[in-house]
Amino acid sequence: MTSLKDGNQQREESSSDPRTAELSARLEVVRQRIDVATRTAGRLDLPRLVVVTKFHPAADVRRLVTLGVEDVGENRDQEAASKTAELSGIDVRWHFIGQLQSNKAKSVVKYAASVQSVDRVQLVDALAKAVAREKDATGRSDLDCFIQVSLDDDAGAHRGGATPSDVEMLAEKIEVADGLVLSGLMAVAPLGADPNVAFERLAGISKALCAVHPAATGISAGMSQDLEAAVKFGATHLRIGSDILGSRPAVG
């Protein structure tokens, strides 16, 4: 438990660190956008903010936690594994949101509370085996799984995801797998498309899923440029990166 003295010290360090001040200001703007979008949609439930920290250093994650961030998203296992190892004692939930190769499942389940990009049977099988192994070794909890569904007309050739017609098959596979929890759906609005149209479609797919799997109410949708549309159509998780962390840091 953080003492009052430690808490005051953290605040003093934050106020004297320009990067923390920058993140705080950006985070506040995004939180206000979420609040306004939630009220505008007539919702009482505030969506969960997942801050996407890909390409940004572990130090930024540490700063974000001092600012009240509880959920962090990563796209690449190599980067995520490195950050989580460096931040092993930090109190934050890690979400894997990128395309995932089956042979990376063993690594991902060592740190991830959820995988939001489940899009094929082979990956479900790999995650189930990896979770079982990790439970035996460390006693980790069940893994939340979101089915990534493609909203593209070309079956996800650009941004990945299962076709809507495959969602129920994958849902059944996850539900019967020990150690996996069917949490809901994840999607990305197609490039150049109206996000309102895309997320309205996603809401319909979610409604059909919940009719068969009532607990699978999660909808992970919305990024910096389209979070308002996602909130309007029921997103429970928002994946926000650049509007909080800024441009990708220079390499070298």
Side-chain angles (χ1 to χ4, degrees):
M1 180 179 294
T2 301
S3 68
L4 181 60
K5 181 179 178 181
D6 289 339
N8 289 335
Q9 183 178 352
Q10 285 182 352
R11 283 190 289 274
E12 289 172 4
E13 291 172 351
S14 296
S15 64
S16 63
D17 174 26
R19 177 58 171 165
T20 300
E22 177 191 4
L23 292 174
S24 179
R26 287 175 167 274
L27 187 60
E28 180 59 27
V29 170
V30 169
R31 283 172 169 161
Q32 289 180 4
R33 285 176 63 192
I34 294 171
D35 285 344
V36 170
T38 301
R39 291 196 302 270
T40 301
R43 293 175 53 175
L44 299 177
D45 57 317
L46 201 65
R48 183 177 292 278
L49 172 60
V50 180
V51 181
V52 181
T53 58
K54 65 178 180 179
F55 304 123
H56 292 271
D60 277 350
V61 178
R62 194 180 298 278
R63 292 181 177 101
L64 288 166
V65 172
T66 69
L67 297 171
V69 169
E70 299 178 337
D71 297 85
V72 170
E74 286 288 339
N75 289 62
R76 302 187 304 169
D77 172 59
Q78 184 175 359
E79 181 179 352
S82 175
K83 284 182 187 175
T84 56
E86 184 175 344
L87 302 170
S88 59
I90 204 166
D91 186 17
V92 68
R93 281 183 294 268
W94 295 89
H95 303 264
F96 191 84
I97 62 176
Q99 294 301 292
L100 181 60
Q101 296 177 344
S102 297
N103 62 3
K104 297 291 186 179
K106 188 186 301 185
S107 174
V108 168
V109 302
K110 292 182 183 297
Y111 58 80
S114 83
V115 172
Q116 297 196 7
S117 50
V118 180
D119 59 359
R120 60 196 187 281
V121 170
Q122 296 92 326
L123 182 55
V124 176
D125 290 338
L127 288 170
K129 290 178 182 177
V131 167
R133 188 180 300 111
E134 194 65 18
K135 277 191 169 189
D136 288 341
T138 67
R140 72 148 290 154
S141 58
D142 289 348
L143 178 71
D144 290 337
C145 293
F146 291 73
I147 298 171
Q148 182 176 357
V149 56
S150 172
L151 301 177
D152 286 293
D153 292 332
D154 55 0
H158 296 300
R159 293 194 168 189
T163 63
S165 61
D166 283 340
V167 166
E168 176 55 26
M169 176 269 294
L170 287 169
E172 291 287 351
K173 185 77 174 176
I174 294 168
E175 282 238 306
V176 300
D178 290 338
L180 304 186
V181 175
L182 177 62
S183 297
L185 301 176
M186 185 272 263
V188 179
L191 293 170
D194 182 346
N196 287 282
V197 174
F199 294 143
E200 183 175 20
R201 183 184 181 198
L202 179 62
I205 299 169
S206 174
K207 183 177 180 180
L209 176 67
C210 290
V212 183
H213 308 276
T217 56
I219 300 177
S220 177
M223 298 188 292
S224 293
Q225 70 275 16
D226 56 22
L227 74 83
E228 285 82 5
V231 173
K232 178 180 178 181
F233 290 103
T236 60
H237 295 66
L238 302 168
R239 309 180 308 274
I240 311 299
S242 60
D243 273 12
I244 295 173
L245 286 129
S247 302
R248 182 184 307 179
V251 177

Coordinates of all heavy atoms in Angstrom, one line a residue, residues 43-83:
R43 N -25.6 7.0 -22.0 CA -25.2 5.8 -21.2 C -24.8 6.2 -19.8 O -24.3 7.3 -19.5 CB -23.9 5.2 -21.9 CG -24.2 4.6 -23.2 CD -23.0 4.1 -24.0 NE -22.1 3.2 -23.1 CZ -21.0 2.6 -23.6 NH1 -20.6 2.8 -24.8 NH2 -20.3 1.8 -22.8
L44 N -24.9 5.2 -18.9 CA -24.5 5.4 -17.5 C -23.2 4.7 -17.2 O -22.4 5.1 -16.3 CB -25.5 4.9 -16.5 CG -26.9 5.6 -16.6 CD1 -27.9 4.9 -15.7 CD2 -26.8 7.1 -16.3
D45 N -22.8 3.7 -18.1 CA -21.6 2.9 -17.9 C -20.5 3.6 -18.7 O -20.5 3.7 -19.9 CB -21.8 1.5 -18.4 CG -22.3 1.4 -19.8 OD1 -23.2 2.2 -20.2 OD2 -21.8 0.6 -20.5
L46 N -19.4 4.0 -18.0 CA -18.3 4.6 -18.7 C -17.4 3.5 -19.3 O -17.0 2.5 -18.6 CB -17.5 5.4 -17.6 CG -16.5 6.4 -18.2 CD1 -17.3 7.6 -18.8 CD2 -15.7 7.0 -17.0
P47 N -17.1 3.6 -20.6 CA -16.2 2.6 -21.2 C -14.8 2.6 -20.5 O -14.3 3.6 -20.0 CB -16.1 3.0 -22.6 CG -17.2 3.9 -22.8 CD -17.5 4.6 -21.5
R48 N -14.2 1.4 -20.5 CA -12.8 1.2 -19.9 C -11.8 1.8 -20.9 O -11.8 1.4 -22.1 CB -12.5 -0.2 -19.6 CG -11.2 -0.5 -19.0 CD -11.0 -1.9 -18.6 NE -11.9 -2.3 -17.5 CZ -11.7 -2.1 -16.2 NH1 -10.6 -1.5 -15.8 NH2 -12.5 -2.6 -15.3
L49 N -10.9 2.6 -20.5 CA -9.9 3.2 -21.3 C -8.6 2.3 -21.3 O -8.0 2.0 -20.2 CB -9.5 4.6 -20.8 CG -8.3 5.2 -21.5 CD1 -8.5 5.4 -23.0 CD2 -8.0 6.6 -20.8
V50 N -8.2 1.7 -22.5 CA -7.0 1.0 -22.6 C -6.0 1.8 -23.4 O -6.3 2.2 -24.6 CB -7.3 -0.3 -23.4 CG1 -6.0 -1.1 -23.6 CG2 -8.3 -1.2 -22.7
V51 N -5.0 2.3 -22.7 CA -4.0 3.1 -23.4 C -3.0 2.3 -24.1 O -2.3 1.4 -23.5 CB -3.3 4.0 -22.3 CG1 -2.3 4.9 -23.0 CG2 -4.3 4.8 -21.5
V52 N -2.9 2.5 -25.4 CA -2.0 1.7 -26.3 C -0.6 2.3 -26.3 O -0.5 3.5 -26.8 CB -2.6 1.6 -27.7 CG1 -1.7 0.7 -28.6 CG2 -4.0 1.0 -27.7
T53 N 0.3 1.6 -25.8 CA 1.7 2.2 -25.6 C 2.7 1.7 -26.5 O 3.9 1.8 -26.3 CB 2.1 2.0 -24.1 OG1 2.1 0.6 -23.8 CG2 1.2 2.7 -23.1
K54 N 2.3 1.1 -27.6 CA 3.3 0.5 -28.6 C 4.3 1.6 -29.0 O 3.9 2.7 -29.2 CB 2.6 -0.1 -29.8 CG 1.9 0.9 -30.7 CD 1.2 0.1 -31.9 CE 0.5 1.1 -32.7 NZ -0.1 0.5 -33.9
F55 N 5.6 1.2 -29.1 CA 6.7 2.0 -29.6 C 7.1 3.1 -28.5 O 8.1 3.8 -28.7 CB 6.4 2.7 -30.9 CG 6.0 1.8 -32.0 CD1 4.8 2.0 -32.7 CD2 6.9 0.8 -32.4 CE1 4.5 1.1 -33.7 CE2 6.5 -0.1 -33.4 CZ 5.3 0.1 -34.1
H56 N 6.4 3.1 -27.4 CA 6.7 4.1 -26.3 C 7.4 3.3 -25.2 O 7.1 2.1 -24.9 CB 5.5 4.8 -25.9 CG 5.0 5.8 -26.9 ND1 5.4 7.1 -27.0 CD2 4.1 5.6 -27.9 CE1 4.8 7.7 -28.1 NE2 4.0 6.8 -28.6
P57 N 8.3 3.9 -24.5 CA 9.1 3.2 -23.5 C 8.3 2.8 -22.2 O 7.2 3.4 -21.9 CB 10.2 4.2 -23.1 CG 9.5 5.6 -23.4 CD 8.7 5.4 -24.6
A58 N 8.9 1.9 -21.5 CA 8.3 1.4 -20.2 C 8.1 2.6 -19.3 O 7.1 2.6 -18.5 CB 9.1 0.3 -19.6
A59 N 9.0 3.6 -19.3 CA 8.9 4.7 -18.4 C 7.6 5.4 -18.6 O 7.0 6.0 -17.6 CB 10.1 5.7 -18.7
D60 N 7.1 5.5 -19.8 CA 5.8 6.1 -20.0 C 4.6 5.3 -19.4 O 3.7 5.9 -18.9 CB 5.5 6.3 -21.5 CG 6.2 7.5 -22.1 OD1 6.7 8.3 -21.4 OD2 6.2 7.6 -23.4
V61 N 4.7 4.0 -19.4 CA 3.7 3.2 -18.7 C 3.7 3.5 -17.2 O 2.7 3.7 -16.6 CB 3.9 1.7 -19.0 CG1 2.9 0.9 -18.2 CG2 3.9 1.4 -20.5
R62 N 4.9 3.6 -16.7 CA 5.0 3.9 -15.3 C 4.4 5.3 -15.0 O 3.7 5.5 -14.0 CB 6.5 3.9 -14.8 CG 6.7 3.9 -13.3 CD 8.2 3.9 -13.0 NE 8.9 2.7 -13.5 CZ 8.9 1.5 -12.9 NH1 8.3 1.4 -11.8 NH2 9.6 0.5 -13.4
R63 N 4.7 6.3 -15.8 CA 4.1 7.6 -15.6 C 2.5 7.5 -15.7 O 1.8 8.1 -14.9 CB 4.6 8.5 -16.7 CG 6.1 8.9 -16.6 CD 6.5 9.9 -17.7 NE 7.8 10.3 -17.6 CZ 8.8 9.8 -18.3 NH1 8.6 8.9 -19.2 NH2 10.1 10.3 -18.1
L64 N 2.0 6.8 -16.7 CA 0.6 6.7 -16.9 C -0.1 6.0 -15.6 O -1.2 6.5 -15.2 CB 0.3 5.8 -18.1 CG 0.6 6.5 -19.4 CD1 0.6 5.5 -20.6 CD2 -0.4 7.6 -19.7
V65 N 0.6 5.1 -15.0 CA 0.0 4.4 -13.8 C -0.1 5.4 -12.7 O -1.1 5.5 -12.0 CB 0.8 3.2 -13.4 CG1 0.4 2.7 -12.1 CG2 0.7 2.1 -14.5
T66 N 0.9 6.3 -12.6 CA 0.8 7.4 -11.5 C -0.4 8.3 -11.8 O -0.8 9.0 -10.9 CB 2.1 8.2 -11.4 OG1 2.3 9.0 -12.6 CG2 3.3 7.2 -11.2
L67 N -0.8 8.4 -13.1 CA -1.9 9.3 -13.5 C -3.3 8.6 -13.4 O -4.3 9.1 -13.9 CB -1.6 9.8 -14.9 CG -0.4 10.7 -15.0 CD1 -0.1 11.0 -16.4 CD2 -0.5 12.0 -14.2
G68 N -3.3 7.3 -12.9 CA -4.5 6.6 -12.7 C -4.9 5.7 -13.8 O -6.0 5.1 -13.8
V69 N -4.0 5.4 -14.8 CA -4.3 4.5 -15.9 C -4.2 3.1 -15.3 O -3.3 2.7 -14.6 CB -3.4 4.7 -17.1 CG1 -3.5 3.5 -18.1 CG2 -3.7 6.0 -17.8
E70 N -5.2 2.2 -15.6 CA -5.3 0.9 -15.1 C -5.1 -0.2 -16.1 O -4.9 -1.4 -15.8 CB -6.6 0.6 -14.4 CG -6.8 1.6 -13.2 CD -8.2 1.3 -12.5 OE1 -9.1 0.8 -13.2 OE2 -8.3 1.7 -11.3
D71 N -5.3 0.2 -17.4 CA -5.2 -0.8 -18.5 C -4.3 -0.3 -19.6 O -4.4 0.9 -20.1 CB -6.6 -1.0 -19.1 CG -7.6 -1.6 -18.1 OD1 -8.2 -0.8 -17.3 OD2 -7.7 -2.8 -18.1
V72 N -3.4 -1.2 -20.1 CA -2.5 -0.8 -21.1 C -2.5 -1.9 -22.2 O -2.6 -3.1 -22.0 CB -1.0 -0.8 -20.5 CG1 0.0 -0.7 -21.6 CG2 -0.9 0.4 -19.6
G73 N -2.5 -1.4 -23.5 CA -2.5 -2.3 -24.6 C -1.2 -2.3 -25.4 O -0.6 -1.3 -25.5
E74 N -0.9 -3.5 -25.9 CA 0.3 -3.7 -26.7 C 0.0 -4.5 -27.9 O -0.8 -5.4 -27.9 CB 1.4 -4.4 -25.9 CG 2.1 -3.5 -24.8 CD 3.0 -2.4 -25.4 OE1 3.4 -2.6 -26.6 OE2 3.2 -1.4 -24.7
N75 N 0.7 -4.2 -29.0 CA 0.5 -4.9 -30.3 C 1.5 -5.9 -30.6 O 1.2 -6.8 -31.4 CB 0.5 -3.8 -31.4 CG -0.7 -2.9 -31.4 OD1 -0.9 -2.2 -30.5 ND2 -1.5 -3.0 -32.5
R76 N 2.7 -5.9 -30.0 CA 3.7 -6.8 -30.4 C 4.3 -7.5 -29.2 O 4.6 -6.9 -28.2 CB 4.9 -6.0 -31.1 CG 4.5 -5.3 -32.4 CD 5.7 -4.7 -33.1 NE 6.5 -3.8 -32.2 CZ 7.7 -3.4 -32.5 NH1 8.2 -3.7 -33.6 NH2 8.3 -2.6 -31.6
D77 N 4.3 -8.8 -29.3 CA 4.7 -9.6 -28.1 C 6.1 -9.3 -27.6 O 6.4 -9.2 -26.4 CB 4.6 -11.1 -28.4 CG 5.2 -12.0 -27.3 OD1 4.7 -11.9 -26.2 OD2 6.2 -12.7 -27.6
Q78 N 7.1 -9.2 -28.6 CA 8.5 -8.9 -28.1 C 8.6 -7.6 -27.3 O 9.2 -7.6 -26.3 CB 9.4 -8.8 -29.4 CG 10.9 -8.6 -29.0 CD 11.8 -8.7 -30.3 OE1 11.3 -8.8 -31.4 NE2 13.1 -8.5 -30.0
E79 N 7.9 -6.6 -27.8 CA 7.9 -5.3 -27.0 C 7.2 -5.5 -25.7 O 7.6 -5.0 -24.7 CB 7.3 -4.2 -27.9 CG 7.3 -2.9 -27.2 CD 6.7 -1.8 -28.1 OE1 6.4 -2.0 -29.3 OE2 6.5 -0.7 -27.6
A80 N 6.0 -6.1 -25.7 CA 5.2 -6.3 -24.5 C 5.9 -7.1 -23.5 O 5.9 -6.7 -22.3 CB 3.9 -6.9 -24.9
A81 N 6.6 -8.2 -23.9 CA 7.3 -9.0 -23.0 C 8.4 -8.3 -22.3 O 8.6 -8.4 -21.1 CB 7.8 -10.3 -23.7
S82 N 9.1 -7.4 -23.1 CA 10.2 -6.6 -22.5 C 9.7 -5.6 -21.5 O 10.2 -5.5 -20.4 CB 10.9 -5.9 -23.6 OG 11.9 -5.1 -23.1
K83 N 8.6 -4.9 -21.8 CA 8.0 -3.9 -20.9 C 7.5 -4.6 -19.6 O 7.7 -4.0 -18.5 CB 6.9 -3.2 -21.6 CG 7.4 -2.1 -22.6 CD 6.2 -1.4 -23.2 CE 6.6 -0.5 -24.3 NZ 5.4 0.1 -25.0

